[in-house]
Amino acid sequence: MTITGHITYQDIEGGFWGIVAEDGARYVPVEPLPPEWRREKRPVRATVRPANVLGVTMWGTYIHVDRLDFPD
């Protein structure tokens, strides 16, 4: 699936970088985003797939990120 939105940092459970879609849906990448991709409110288009994991953030849906594109 493809989502369009922006990257955001959440200071929950030690902190993590997530993606907020244009429709407000929240996604948590299972694999941490590389440092060069981490910028608050950075626009992003991502190709993702669901991840069947349990997590502690309770912030959004866990995903595997297959591709990120930055329209900026």
Side-chain angles (χ1 to χ4, degrees), residues 2-25:
T2 301
I3 56 176
T4 302
H6 66 272
I7 293 175
T8 186
Y9 181 76
Q10 296 299 307
D11 192 16
I12 303 170
E13 296 295 329
F16 62 91
W17 290 88
I19 300 172
V20 176
E22 289 176 337
D23 66 2

Side-chain angles (χ1 to χ4, degrees), residues 48-63:
V48 303
R49 55 194 159 85
N52 293 322
V53 299
L54 294 175
V56 296
T57 65
M58 297 177 65
W59 182 79
T61 303
Y62 287 88
I63 55 169

Side-chain angles (χ1 to χ4, degrees), residues 22-40:
E22 289 176 337
D23 66 2
R26 300 179 296 190
Y27 299 93
V28 181
V30 174
E31 300 84 8
L33 296 178
E36 63 269 18
W37 295 352
R38 300 174 189 174
R39 192 175 83 215
E40 186 67 30

